[in-house]
Amino acid sequence: MDAIISWIGENILFIYLLIFAIYLGTEIIGKVPVVLHTPLMSGANAISGVVVIGGIILVRLTPSDDYFGLFIGFLGITFATINVAGGFAVTQRMLSMFNKKKKS
């Protein structure tokens, strides 16, 4: 039990930051009109790219016995990579809608 309390004390800033990021992201995305979701995804891809780099740096600088830091870095890299790939796919689909149809 003391180890858990010590771990929480050491990582309290990360825990607060995670809770704040979840709350802020939910509030911001919830207030965006549906019409703007696809165009804003292009900007979100750039932000997710920064998250991938941040996750790589976090994993690189984290000591090998700090499983929490390694796990959070892994999650950041994984989710941001999925978000970037999905964002590019949706953006490509959106842009293909503006291509003129070829006449046969």
Side-chain angles (χ1 to χ4, degrees), residues 36-49:
L36 294 178
H37 274 273
T38 304
L40 289 176
M41 192 164 289
S42 297
N45 282 338
I47 295 169
S48 291

Side-chain angles (χ1 to χ4, degrees), residues 24-43:
L24 186 65
T26 304
E27 287 295 314
I28 289 173
I29 295 300
K31 294 186 183 348
V32 172
V34 175
V35 179
L36 294 178
H37 274 273
T38 304
L40 289 176
M41 192 164 289
S42 297

Side-chain angles (χ1 to χ4, degrees), residues 7 10-11 14 53-75 77:
W7 177 84
E10 292 172 2
N11 295 304
F14 292 125
I53 300 299
I56 292 170
I57 292 171
L58 176 67
V59 168
R60 176 67 180 105
L61 297 178
T62 302
S64 61
D65 62 340
D66 183 7
Y67 296 116
F68 177 74
L70 293 172
F71 181 70
I72 293 296
F74 171 75
L75 282 181
I77 293 168

